[in-house]
Amino acid sequence: MIINIIFLFLLFINISQESQARESIKEYKGNDPMVRYTGRIFVSREGDVTFDWSGTYLEMEFIGNELSILLSETGNSYYDVLLDGKNHNVVKACGKDTLITFVSNVTDGFHGLRIQKRTAGQFGRTTIHRFVISGLLQKNTLKRTRYIEFIGDSWTCGYGVEGESRDENFQLETENCHLS
């Protein structure tokens, strides 16, 4: 009898914790006004945001410890993820209606985030459907002081800039507009 009561008590605690965890996960549309995009984008009536130019980026601030994006990709695109002003990781996006984790294994708290497309548009077009955050999206307080637009070619999109030598064949993974 005591064992059954203990088992039921532990089961109740486990279900309660799972319920609380699910409640802390929030979803936001791709065009949420608390997310700021820079670059050429298209916003659909449904709130999806589509872009393909290298260097296009989004910025947001959130409280939490994990952020994923539900997106569709026509090819393969790579993204630099900068968290609190520092390189966090590089993410490969591919597939249709795919949930990809961009931020994970960070302390639970306030974070500034920039996600920048590092590969050229000819290799893939991205559509952001939803942001899924373990926490809350915050009003973007980042202020811009300057605007500079670069119009260019393979030099400005960083064609092969992360290659080991200039004789190496091009690989999508070695393109990085942020370094050019």
Side-chain angles (χ1 to χ4, degrees), residues 128-163:
I128 294 178
H129 305 294
R130 299 264 184 274
F131 296 98
V132 181
I133 301 174
S134 177
L136 296 170
L137 196 55
Q138 299 294 293
K139 184 177 179 185
N140 195 328
T141 60
L142 302 170
K143 301 289 182 206
R144 294 183 182 164
T145 57
R146 299 181 210 187
Y147 294 89
I148 301 174
E149 180 177 9
F150 292 92
I151 300 172
D153 54 14
S154 60
W155 285 35
T156 54
C157 71
Y159 183 92
V161 73
E162 290 188 346

XYZ file of all heavy atoms in Angstrom, residues 128-163:
293
model
N 10.970 31.289 -42.873
C 10.784 31.098 -41.429
C 9.288 31.137 -41.146
O 8.615 32.128 -41.426
C 11.527 32.182 -40.628
C 13.033 32.018 -40.838
C 11.164 32.100 -39.144
C 13.876 33.055 -40.146
N 8.792 30.035 -40.585
C 7.372 29.939 -40.238
C 7.128 30.350 -38.784
O 6.238 31.135 -38.502
C 6.864 28.506 -40.440
C 7.109 27.966 -41.805
N 6.502 28.470 -42.932
C 7.919 26.960 -42.234
C 6.909 27.797 -43.995
N 7.766 26.881 -43.599
N 7.927 29.798 -37.876
C 7.717 30.021 -36.440
C 9.049 29.995 -35.691
O 9.960 29.271 -36.052
C 6.858 28.920 -35.821
C 5.469 28.785 -36.369
C 4.486 29.553 -35.488
N 3.115 29.367 -35.924
C 2.523 30.084 -36.848
N 3.174 31.018 -37.483
N 1.268 29.895 -37.170
N 9.086 30.769 -34.610
C 10.158 30.672 -33.625
C 9.595 29.906 -32.437
O 8.486 30.193 -31.982
C 10.610 32.063 -33.163
C 11.218 32.887 -34.255
C 10.464 33.837 -34.928
C 12.538 32.702 -34.622
C 11.008 34.600 -35.952
C 13.102 33.466 -35.646
C 12.334 34.406 -36.300
N 10.335 28.950 -31.935
C 9.926 28.164 -30.771
C 10.973 28.417 -29.692
O 12.141 28.050 -29.856
C 9.833 26.662 -31.111
C 9.391 25.870 -29.899
C 8.884 26.437 -32.285
N 10.540 29.051 -28.607
C 11.475 29.505 -27.580
C 11.117 28.888 -26.243
O 9.960 28.911 -25.828
C 11.453 31.045 -27.450
C 11.828 31.683 -28.796
C 12.383 31.521 -26.345
C 11.693 33.177 -28.836
N 12.135 28.346 -25.588
C 11.977 27.898 -24.212
C 12.161 29.138 -23.343
O 13.238 29.416 -22.839
C 13.014 26.824 -23.880
O 12.894 26.451 -22.534
N 11.112 29.927 -23.262
C 11.163 31.201 -22.566
C 10.251 32.200 -23.241
O 9.216 31.835 -23.786
N 10.663 33.468 -23.270
C 9.821 34.539 -23.810
C 10.618 35.456 -24.722
O 11.751 35.829 -24.415
C 9.249 35.385 -22.670
C 8.307 34.692 -21.698
C 8.036 35.595 -20.503
C 7.012 34.335 -22.399
N 10.008 35.838 -25.830
C 10.571 36.842 -26.710
C 10.372 38.206 -26.058
O 9.340 38.463 -25.444
C 9.844 36.776 -28.053
C 10.465 37.445 -29.263
C 11.875 36.959 -29.506
C 9.609 37.169 -30.485
N 11.367 39.073 -26.176
C 11.309 40.395 -25.565
C 11.250 41.475 -26.635
O 11.675 41.260 -27.775
C 12.561 40.630 -24.703
C 12.714 39.649 -23.564
C 11.612 39.822 -22.540
O 11.536 40.831 -21.873
N 10.749 38.833 -22.435
N 10.770 42.647 -26.270
C 10.764 43.777 -27.195
C 12.214 44.105 -27.541
O 13.066 44.243 -26.663
C 10.090 44.996 -26.560
C 9.988 46.149 -27.503
C 9.256 47.323 -26.893
C 9.216 48.445 -27.908
N 8.637 49.640 -27.349
N 12.484 44.226 -28.835
C 13.847 44.465 -29.301
C 14.267 45.889 -28.970
O 13.687 46.856 -29.455
C 13.921 44.217 -30.809
C 15.336 44.082 -31.296
O 16.248 44.694 -30.765
N 15.521 43.271 -32.323
N 15.299 46.018 -28.125
C 15.771 47.340 -27.714
C 17.076 47.720 -28.400
O 17.634 48.774 -28.119
C 15.995 47.376 -26.183
O 16.970 46.395 -25.834
C 14.700 47.120 -25.439
N 17.569 46.855 -29.310
C 18.814 47.144 -30.006
C 18.616 48.339 -30.932
O 17.688 48.376 -31.717
C 19.271 45.925 -30.810
C 19.491 44.649 -29.996
C 19.702 43.464 -30.933
C 20.664 44.814 -29.063
N 19.486 49.329 -30.815
C 19.379 50.552 -31.612
C 20.402 50.520 -32.739
O 21.557 50.164 -32.536
C 19.638 51.794 -30.746
C 18.694 51.936 -29.584
C 17.320 52.304 -30.068
C 16.406 52.497 -28.864
N 15.041 52.283 -29.131
N 19.968 50.928 -33.918
C 20.872 51.046 -35.061
C 21.384 52.474 -35.138
O 20.629 53.413 -34.972
C 20.146 50.707 -36.351
C 19.731 49.280 -36.436
C 19.089 49.039 -37.768
N 18.631 47.669 -37.842
C 17.783 47.231 -38.726
N 17.287 48.050 -39.617
N 17.419 45.983 -38.746
N 22.658 52.603 -35.436
C 23.225 53.936 -35.582
C 23.662 54.205 -37.010
O 23.819 55.356 -37.388
C 24.431 54.122 -34.638
O 25.399 53.114 -34.922
C 23.991 54.029 -33.184
N 23.900 53.143 -37.813
C 24.340 53.323 -39.188
C 23.688 52.292 -40.102
O 23.356 51.200 -39.677
C 25.844 53.135 -39.316
C 26.653 54.085 -38.531
C 28.095 53.779 -38.776
N 28.829 54.150 -37.588
C 30.119 54.138 -37.492
N 30.841 53.736 -38.494
N 30.699 54.505 -36.386
N 23.582 52.662 -41.358
C 23.097 51.754 -42.390
C 24.095 51.768 -43.543
O 24.399 52.833 -44.088
C 21.736 52.202 -42.931
C 20.619 52.122 -41.921
C 20.331 53.189 -41.084
C 19.845 50.976 -41.805
C 19.317 53.123 -40.159
C 18.826 50.900 -40.884
C 18.564 51.978 -40.069
O 17.551 51.905 -39.153
N 24.600 50.606 -43.889
C 25.466 50.477 -45.049
C 24.977 49.263 -45.829
O 24.806 48.184 -45.261
C 26.948 50.264 -44.647
C 27.447 51.429 -43.808
C 27.804 50.057 -45.886
C 28.840 51.224 -43.254
N 24.758 49.442 -47.122
C 24.332 48.319 -47.954
C 25.453 47.984 -48.926
O 25.987 48.858 -49.597
C 23.068 48.665 -48.730
C 22.598 47.527 -49.594
C 21.303 47.830 -50.325
O 20.855 48.985 -50.301
O 20.750 46.900 -50.919
N 25.801 46.707 -48.984
C 26.800 46.231 -49.929
C 26.092 45.476 -51.037
O 25.314 44.559 -50.780
C 27.801 45.293 -49.242
C 28.686 45.976 -48.258
C 28.331 46.040 -46.919
C 29.869 46.569 -48.664
C 29.144 46.681 -45.999
C 30.685 47.208 -47.754
C 30.325 47.268 -46.419
N 26.352 45.879 -52.266
C 25.830 45.169 -53.423
C 27.042 44.614 -54.147
O 27.963 45.345 -54.476
C 25.028 46.103 -54.344
C 23.852 46.690 -53.565
C 24.560 45.360 -55.578
C 23.093 47.751 -54.290
N 27.050 43.292 -54.343
C 28.256 42.747 -54.931
C 28.071 41.392 -55.553
O 27.004 41.046 -56.042
N 29.131 40.632 -55.487
C 29.185 39.340 -56.142
C 29.787 38.309 -55.181
O 29.591 38.407 -53.970
C 30.001 39.454 -57.427
C 31.387 40.053 -57.169
O 31.802 40.128 -55.999
O 32.049 40.434 -58.135
N 30.542 37.368 -55.717
C 31.095 36.303 -54.874
C 32.058 36.835 -53.812
O 32.273 36.194 -52.796
C 31.782 35.247 -55.739
O 32.837 35.825 -56.486
N 32.644 38.000 -54.026
C 33.543 38.558 -53.013
C 32.753 38.990 -51.780
O 33.158 38.751 -50.655
C 34.307 39.759 -53.569
C 35.403 39.376 -54.509
C 35.411 38.338 -55.398
C 36.642 40.027 -54.645
N 36.572 38.307 -56.084
C 37.364 39.346 -55.648
C 37.222 41.118 -54.042
C 38.634 39.723 -56.034
C 38.490 41.497 -54.445
C 39.190 40.805 -55.422
N 31.621 39.645 -51.991
C 30.854 40.144 -50.850
C 30.075 39.041 -50.146
O 29.694 39.204 -48.997
C 29.889 41.261 -51.271
O 29.085 40.798 -52.343
C 30.631 42.517 -51.647
N 29.827 37.916 -50.816
C 29.146 36.814 -50.119
C 30.151 35.834 -49.517
O 29.761 34.841 -48.923
C 28.142 36.105 -51.019
S 28.840 35.121 -52.315
N 31.444 36.118 -49.649
C 32.465 35.303 -48.986
C 32.700 33.960 -49.643
O 32.975 32.969 -48.970
N 32.648 33.915 -50.955
C 32.816 32.674 -51.715
C 34.128 31.980 -51.329
O 35.217 32.492 -51.582
C 32.805 32.992 -53.208
C 32.905 31.801 -54.120
C 31.763 31.178 -54.592
C 34.138 31.309 -54.526
C 31.841 30.095 -55.454
C 34.225 30.224 -55.377
C 33.075 29.622 -55.836
O 33.152 28.552 -56.676
N 34.037 30.851 -50.647
C 35.190 30.036 -50.301
C 36.155 30.636 -49.291
O 37.267 30.143 -49.108
N 35.744 31.685 -48.586
C 36.656 32.413 -47.696
C 37.186 31.558 -46.531
O 38.253 31.826 -46.001
C 35.986 33.712 -47.184
C 34.915 33.413 -46.161
C 37.009 34.669 -46.614
N 36.472 30.504 -46.159
C 36.941 29.635 -45.075
C 37.645 28.375 -45.591
O 37.912 27.453 -44.831
C 35.772 29.255 -44.159
C 35.272 30.424 -43.352
C 34.250 30.036 -42.312
O 33.707 28.914 -42.355
O 33.980 30.874 -41.433
N 37.969 28.350 -46.868
C 38.705 27.224 -47.438
C 40.130 27.183 -46.909
O 40.677 28.191 -46.455
